[in-house]
Amino acid sequence: MLATPASPIRFKRLLLTGAAGNLGQELRPRLKAYCETLRISHRSPIDDVRAGEEMVVASLENKAQMHALLDGVDAAVHMGGVSTEQSWDAILAGNIVGIVNLYEAARAHGVKRIVFASSNHTTGFYRQDEVISPLDPPRPDGFYGLSKVFGENLAQLYWDRHGIETVSLRIGSSYAAPKDRRMLATWMSFDDTERLIAAALTAPV
């Protein structure tokens, strides 16, 4: 990593999975400011590859493709996988098998930091009037939330065993503006989401 007082901390190559998703598309130009090359991935080709980007087709459940995806990467922002409550088979492939493949590839290729898009659904069965902290036990509200709890625990294992740092972000709603009153409780602007991810990527510890 290179750092100068006048510019953001920069990476030589930063990986963004889920680059074709709604939030991934918004993050692409923002994350490019922090790296020389932004490697973007999706399970099918992305047509509008921009200057400073490289596109790699990879399915999370494909171990060989994930090893190729993580090769030469300094850090990863993992937005890929199933992002809503779906069938168990879909969640198993993308969010369970897929994240194991991601961390194994990161370990094999020396990637030392991952920003993991977790979810507020990891704690979805707490009452709305309860105030909780990250130290409270998870209470997922479905298979999707359960898969994100698995991802957070897998990240802990790979820190304890292999020294891979992870910041798990329990994202609620990241849109240009909140869509209704309920979303006000979980909403982050795109600017705040960018700043949160940048902090997660660059914090010294």
Side-chain angles (χ1 to χ4, degrees), residues 52-74:
E53 292 182 338
E54 58 183 23
M55 166 65 194
V56 176
V57 175
S59 295
L60 291 167
E61 61 269 30
N62 187 308
K63 187 183 298 186
Q65 290 180 355
M66 292 304 292
H67 274 269
L69 181 63
L70 272 291
D71 188 17
V73 168
D74 299 316

Side-chain angles (χ1 to χ4, degrees), residues 82-98 142-148:
V82 175
S83 61
T84 57
E85 185 69 15
Q86 295 187 25
S87 71
W88 172 246
D89 287 344
I91 288 171
L92 175 64
N95 293 11
I96 304 295
V97 175
F143 287 147
Y144 169 65
L146 183 66
S147 74
K148 292 300 185 178

Side-chain angles (χ1 to χ4, degrees), residues 91-185:
I91 288 171
L92 175 64
N95 293 11
I96 304 295
V97 175
I99 199 166
V100 171
N101 288 341
L102 176 85
Y103 272 88
E104 265 300 283
R107 179 196 61 77
H109 295 284
V111 179
K112 287 302 183 183
R113 185 169 294 195
I114 295 171
V115 179
F116 169 52
S118 186
S119 172
N120 61 322
H121 289 278
T122 58
T123 55
F125 262 120
Y126 282 98
R127 296 192 319 271
Q128 290 187 4
D129 63 347
E130 289 183 271
V131 178
I132 63 173
S133 85
L135 299 179
D136 288 300
R139 292 184 66 182
D141 56 10
F143 287 147
Y144 169 65
L146 183 66
S147 74
K148 292 300 185 178
V149 174
F150 177 83
E152 291 182 6
N153 281 277
L154 186 77
Q156 183 69 54
L157 170 65
Y158 272 77
W159 162 248
D160 291 337
R161 179 166 287 181
H162 303 296
I164 296 176
E165 300 172 337
T166 297
V167 181
S168 295
L169 306 181
R170 289 179 176 173
I171 298 171
S173 311
S174 184
Y175 295 92
K179 296 181 177 181
D180 51 40
R181 181 177 178 179
R182 181 185 179 281
M183 191 179 286
L184 283 170

